Amino acid sequence: MGLLTIGTFAKASRLSPKALRLYDELGLLPPARVDPVTGYRLYAPDQLEQARLVAWLRRLGMPLARIQHVCTLEAGPAAQEIRAFWSQVEADTAARRDLATFLIDHLSWKDPAMSATAKPLGIRYAALSDPGHVRAGNQDTAYAGSRLLAVADGYGTAGAPASAAAVDALKHLETDAIPAGSLLDVLADAVEQAERAVRGVARSSAAPEEAGTTLTAMLWTGSQLALVHIGDSRVHLLRDGELFQITHDHTMVQSMVDEGRLSPEEAASHPQRSLLVRALGQGADSTADMRLHDARQGDRYLLCSDGLSTVVPTAEVRRVLSEVGEPEQAVRDLVALANGSGGPDNVSCVIADVVELRQQ
């Protein structure tokens, strides 16, 4: 079979002539020959397979630059790259789904105080942070108040002041009145304030680009907990005896697990398991996950830095949360477990129990 005209090739590859001209200009799919007199582009039949791959990848929504990279790979690595791309699409879609759910829940929420049968709820809380047995200082910050719960895990040359600055930037939420319908905006503004505060601290450090912090916080609204999450600190919920992790780690290895490149078991011992893909700091992606959680009487929430989650098995965390009644004792026991496992990192825990308020 001889060379194909651009029209014939476009029909066979399901790409328009306009797209083929663009891909030629970008070097993605150059023709086999260009007629020196007419300037017509002519394509070889064996280019159809690559052209069809380009067409399908465009239907997936893959950017042209990434398609160009995929087209340079052998079949196996190309398949892996497509899998990684689609995993990221699903993660982005999940983040938008969470935001949509947040908006739907917030806009459709009815104040339970309007119901004569609703029980007024509050939280009983405790926080504890410890340097552990290996680190010279403590770069974690833990805070618990009647409305705000927060854990921040600092890193770099100014990790301790960075984590403190991030949490301090949220403390006005303890006392500020939040207008109805403004919760999402208030949380977004609070994250921006925390980011500015951390950058201010980082700029005054010896290596600004190396200073930053994670931030995981929950705001009690009276019947719900609004979550803000950036980094690899975690939130667990103990409900009806079952323990659920309700945050997603923003780490390189978690991204690799999501993409199918690592198993959870491999991720647990990976040498770069603490490498963050989101954080508050210079040049970092500070996009926060935000969600609303309807609270039930008897719920117990745990916020913790990775100094707990990386060394204490989930089963042990569940045992303490299930068996130890008082939040103050529970946070002490969890920190003791981390230190009993060598205490290789700073460890911070915040516990909040959802309880019925006593009528005055």
Side-chain angles (χ1 to χ4, degrees), residues 185-207:
D185 290 337
V186 167
L187 293 177
D189 289 344
V191 172
E192 289 182 5
Q193 292 167 13
E195 183 179 18
R196 287 196 297 270
V198 170
R199 287 182 177 178
V201 167
R203 280 194 296 270
S204 63
S205 69

Side-chain angles (χ1 to χ4, degrees), residues 128-132 135 138-142 150-154 163 213-216 229-236 247 249 274 302-312 317 334-335 338 344-350:
L128 183 62
S129 186
D130 188 271
R135 300 292 177 87
N138 191 355
Q139 294 188 308
D140 283 4
T141 298
V151 167
D153 183 354
S163 68
T213 186
T214 70
L215 178 62
T216 300
H229 171 62
I230 306 166
D232 63 350
S233 295
R234 293 180 177 179
V235 179
H236 293 273
T247 52
D249 293 349
S274 297
L302 165 68
L303 290 71
C304 65
S305 64
D306 66 342
L308 179 75
S309 56
T310 57
V311 296
V312 179
V317 173
L334 290 172
V335 168
D345 196 359
N346 308 148
V347 56
S348 294
C349 298
V350 172

